[in-house]
Amino acid sequence: MLETSARLLRLLSLLQSRRDWTGPELAGRLDVTARTVRRDVERLRALGYPVHATPGTAGGYRLGAGAALPPLLLDDEEAVAVALCLRTGAVGGVEGIEETSARALTKLEQVLPSRLRHRVQAMQAVTVRPAPAAMTVSQEVLTVIGAACRDREQLRFDYLDHRGAGSRRTVEPYRLVHHGRRWYLLAFDTDRDDWRTFRVDRIEPKPPTGPRFAPRELPDDAASYVAAGVTSRAYRYQARVVLHAPLDTIAALAWSGFGRLAALGPDTCELTTGFETLDAVAMFIGMTGAEFEVKEPPELVAQLAAVSGRLARAAHRGGAEGGAQVAPGDLGQP
């Protein structure tokens, strides 16, 4: 009986490790006959594992999805990875996911061998999690959108843009992207005949989903396209400047959450960013600490002069009150 149980666990592990197996392959791995494999497959089915079989010489076995979740068989590294992800990955902006993750982690830790439990607890003791995302989305909304993406069905929803204006959208949904601790939907807007990026926390789906659509060619890598949209296109002001510094030097400040960088040469790069005010654009570019030239928008040049004047006056007043004197011209202007 012990040999049969151990063989069943080995068979289950093999079925979980690859999509399709032939009968002879499984028999060879388990060092048994094809008839024994068939009997063991029936035993797994009786335990609730939906093992599908295809007859014939080209047939084989596949572990499918069932009506209920059967026990999973994880090796040591897989078990530790799942536990750590449950502990540290529950701040992705999904409503209620922390409580659900905690319940799943409790169940997993109860059955972890002590050697693995100690590894997980050691990582938990020294790992600091970031604060939960300010804007969360419901699992139900993510599920509806994800199913529409998978099934290539049009999606209708009410949407609030960043200015609070509402609209009804009909889109062809393609990808869900997690960027900057928020969830975004990359979709083709049929009314506007163009690609759009939507924040999922501002989407209210209107069931049912629409007809199926023929897939279009994506305009870019989905993650890159969404990053470009949320760092510039979604804001009132989009700026493009040439920075006289190596890309690697600037990348530490202008990360993907606030801008996109492109190398122009060994000592120059181009920054594309977006903010709701020109003051915010000016201050963000100034934080890079590099000399730069404005390519667009033209009104940013005047705003830089105004910001420079305010900074110069503040430095002059501070120097006059007891510090070193700083003339407005000493600060320079970009």
Side-chain angles (χ1 to χ4, degrees), residues 236-304:
R236 181 180 179 185
Y237 295 102
Q238 295 84 46
R240 186 167 60 89
V241 299
V242 173
L243 299 166
H244 295 281
L247 184 145
D248 290 343
T249 302
I250 302 300
L253 288 175
W255 58 95
S256 62
F258 288 92
R260 291 178 297 133
L261 286 170
L264 300 179
D267 297 315
T268 58
C269 60
E270 182 178 86
L271 169 66
T272 303
T273 188
F275 287 89
E276 283 299 297
T277 66
L278 287 173
D279 264 348
V281 176
M283 295 305 296
F284 178 69
I285 297 172
M287 285 194 306
T288 63
E291 297 290 329
F292 62 91
E293 303 165 16
V294 176
K295 294 300 182 181
E296 57 184 37
E299 56 266 36
L300 178 58
V301 175
Q303 192 66 27
L304 286 170

Side-chain angles (χ1 to χ4, degrees), residues 194-205:
D194 198 4
W195 292 92
R196 290 291 189 271
T197 298
F198 302 95
R199 265 178 52 175
V200 175
D201 59 288
R202 294 172 176 167
I203 290 177
E204 184 180 347

Side-chain angles (χ1 to χ4, degrees), residues 74 142 282:
L74 304 174
L142 280 178

Side-chain angles (χ1 to χ4, degrees), residues 3-325:
E3 180 181 352
T4 301
S5 299
R7 192 175 65 245
L8 284 178
L9 290 176
R10 175 61 177 157
L11 173 59
L12 178 59
S13 178
L14 290 172
L15 290 171
Q16 289 179 160
S17 67
R18 205 171 81 189
R19 183 174 177 83
D20 293 294
W21 289 88
T22 66
E25 284 178 325
L26 291 174
R29 289 293 191 97
L30 299 171
D31 196 22
V32 296
T33 65
R35 183 179 179 182
T36 300
V37 170
R38 288 194 296 272
R39 287 201 302 264
D40 287 348
V41 165
E42 289 301 324
R43 293 189 178 101
L44 287 179
R45 288 170 177 163
L47 293 172
Y49 293 95
V51 182
H52 304 310
T54 304
T57 56
Y61 298 95
R62 173 186 299 180
L63 186 62
L69 181 66
L72 298 177
L73 186 63
L74 304 174
D75 63 27
D76 286 4
E77 297 303 320
E78 291 169 344
V80 171
V82 170
L84 292 178
C85 288
L86 287 171
R87 175 66 69 182
T88 62
V91 291
V94 181
E95 184 179 323
I97 198 172
E98 288 195 11
E99 180 182 351
T100 305
S101 298
R103 292 201 309 268
L105 181 61
T106 299
K107 294 177 181 179
L108 180 59
E109 287 183 333
Q110 286 177 344
V111 297
L112 281 178
S114 59
R115 67 182 188 280
L116 300 184
R117 191 181 304 113
H118 291 156
R119 289 173 58 184
V120 172
Q121 291 174 347
M123 288 296 299
Q124 294 171 356
V126 298
T127 301
V128 178
R129 293 189 299 166
M135 297 295 180
T136 60
V137 300
S138 73
Q139 298 183 48
E140 182 180 357
V141 170
L142 280 178
T143 300
V144 169
I145 296 175
C149 293
R150 179 199 61 200
D151 299 335
R152 296 174 180 172
E153 294 179 342
Q154 285 190 353
L155 186 67
R156 296 183 306 113
F157 55 84
D158 289 338
Y159 188 71
L160 290 177
D161 65 18
H162 62 284
R163 296 184 179 89
S167 61
R168 173 66 58 89
R169 302 297 184 96
T170 300
V171 304
E172 297 173 358
Y174 279 80
R175 296 289 188 274
L176 280 168
V177 177
H178 190 244
H179 175 85
R181 300 177 67 189
R182 286 195 175 103
W183 287 93
Y184 296 89
L185 168 65
L186 173 60
F188 188 86
D189 193 317
T190 58
D191 294 328
R192 291 156 180 80
D193 195 31
D194 198 4
W195 292 92
R196 290 291 189 271
T197 298
F198 302 95
R199 265 178 52 175
V200 175
D201 59 288
R202 294 172 176 167
I203 290 177
E204 184 180 347
K206 296 297 179 183
T209 53
R212 293 176 61 88
F213 59 87
R216 304 172 188 265
E217 184 178 354
L218 291 170
D220 195 355
D221 170 71
S224 299
Y225 189 85
V226 169
V230 302
T231 56
S232 59
R233 290 193 301 264
Y235 295 94
R236 181 180 179 185
Y237 295 102
Q238 295 84 46
R240 186 167 60 89
V241 299
V242 173
L243 299 166
H244 295 281
L247 184 145
D248 290 343
T249 302
I250 302 300
L253 288 175
W255 58 95
S256 62
F258 288 92
R260 291 178 297 133
L261 286 170
L264 300 179
D267 297 315
T268 58
C269 60
E270 182 178 86
L271 169 66
T272 303
T273 188
F275 287 89
E276 283 299 297
T277 66
L278 287 173
D279 264 348
V281 176
M283 295 305 296
F284 178 69
I285 297 172
M287 285 194 306
T288 63
E291 297 290 329
F292 62 91
E293 303 165 16
V294 176
K295 294 300 182 181
E296 57 184 37
E299 56 266 36
L300 178 58
V301 175
Q303 192 66 27
L304 286 170
V307 172
S308 177
R310 290 201 302 269
L311 294 175
R313 289 190 294 273
H316 183 68
R317 285 193 295 269
E321 291 175 1
Q325 292 286 340

